[in-house]
Amino acid sequence: QAQLVQSGGEVKKPGASMRVSCKASGYVFPNFGVYWVRQAPGQGLEWLGWISGNNGKTKYAQIVQGRVTMTIDKSTATAYMELRSLTSDDTAKYYCARGAAGAASTMAFDIWGQGTMVIVSS
Amino acid sequence: QSVLTQPPSASGAPGQRVTISCSGSSSNIGRNLVNWYQQLPGTAPKLLIYSDNLRPSGVPDRFSASKSGASASLAISGLQSEDEADYYCAVWDNSLNWVFGGGTRLTVL
């Protein structure tokens, strides 16, 4: 069945960068996109952006615009999210989720990865 | 503060019906389709309802949703202990972002 498997947790120092991977299986990767969402401890969900699994087109949320880069590797059906200049406010569990290939706005987040905990601490 | 407003908590006894509201505006719920997610404790969110009122395969018909104007609601009938979870509404906003409600923690008494 379709699933997304994410990389393991990380601990980062303030000012550093993080990179989370999200490997897809069980479906045709280029036919869908990948959303990225985060959840700070005890808090709600926050959308970070979207990338097309077909052509790598991206749409980033304003809250991380300028600090985030999302990429794909179609050969391994893997999506990546890099977030730079980390602060303690970036401490959260980061999720990838499946979306539409053509646009950021058109599809519900129908399959989710297990989440990757990133802690930013000095 | 979330763009979409949900009550922080809701509760009901087993077998009862509960509803969870989600209030937005004309730039989001008022013009785009609403989705609902269920997050069981310690797990990733799961799609519960999409396109305002459609259930993915495998979601029991005890879960239903509706929308009117700039507000949406999720209803759970025949409440069961396994329904105890956090519930989030989400919708595309015309500011070009997906927005989520703050989440509602459902307690089964």
Side-chain angles (χ1 to χ4, degrees):
Chain A
Q1 73 282 18
Q3 64 175 347
L4 299 171
V5 177
Q6 299 182 224
S7 49
E10 302 183 19
V11 179
K12 297 291 183 181
K13 299 245 186 268
S17 297
M18 57 172 271
R19 190 185 193 219
V20 179
S21 68
C22 171
K23 183 170 176 58
S25 62
Y27 70 91
V28 180
F29 185 76
N31 288 358
F32 296 88
V34 175
Y35 298 114
W36 290 92
V37 175
R38 72 182 178 185
Q39 185 171 37
Q43 302 301 308
L45 302 170
E46 185 172 53
W47 181 69
L48 301 178
W50 161 87
I51 183 165
S52 170
N54 180 38
N55 56 20
K57 179 180 177 182
T58 56
K59 174 73 180 83
Y60 299 143
Q62 291 152 3
I63 55 166
V64 290
Q65 185 84 40
R67 291 200 297 137
V68 70
T69 301
M70 295 176 187
T71 56
I72 57 169
D73 181 343
K74 290 169 73 171
S75 68
T76 60
T78 302
Y80 299 90
M81 183 189 68
E82 179 188 39
L83 189 61
R84 301 175 292 278
S85 302
L86 295 171
T87 73
S88 57
D89 289 343
D90 295 312
T91 293
K93 183 165 272 194
Y94 289 76
Y95 293 100
C96 61
R98 193 174 73 167
S105 60
T106 57
M107 180 174 161
F109 304 23
D110 69 340
I111 296 168
W112 293 66
Q114 83 276 21
T116 297
M117 188 68 208
V118 177
I119 297 171
V120 182
S121 174
S122 55
Chain B
Q1 186 145 350
S2 303
V3 173
L4 305 179
T5 301
Q6 294 182 238
S9 63
S11 64
Q16 283 189 332
R17 182 178 187 270
V18 298
T19 61
I20 296 171
S21 62
C22 175
S23 178
S25 71
S26 59
S27 70
N28 43 64
I29 293 179
R31 64 175 60 210
N32 296 313
L33 299 173
V34 178
N35 307 310
W36 290 88
Y37 299 90
Q38 177 193 57
Q39 186 174 31
L40 297 170
T43 70
K46 167 192 167 185
L47 179 63
L48 194 65
I49 298 284
Y50 67 99
S51 297
D52 289 347
N53 56 17
L54 301 179
R55 285 186 308 276
S57 172
V59 173
D61 60 7
R62 302 186 296 105
F63 294 91
S64 63
S66 62
K67 186 175 83 175
S68 177
S71 293
S73 65
L74 173 72
I76 309 170
S77 60
L79 203 58
Q80 299 180 4
S81 59
E82 67 219 48
D83 299 331
E84 195 158 279
D86 293 328
Y87 292 85
Y88 295 91
C89 56
V91 64
W92 179 257
D93 187 279
N94 285 3
S95 64
L96 305 184
N97 287 280
W98 279 95
V99 291
F100 288 90
T104 298
R105 176 149 298 177
L106 175 64
T107 300
V108 180
L109 302 171

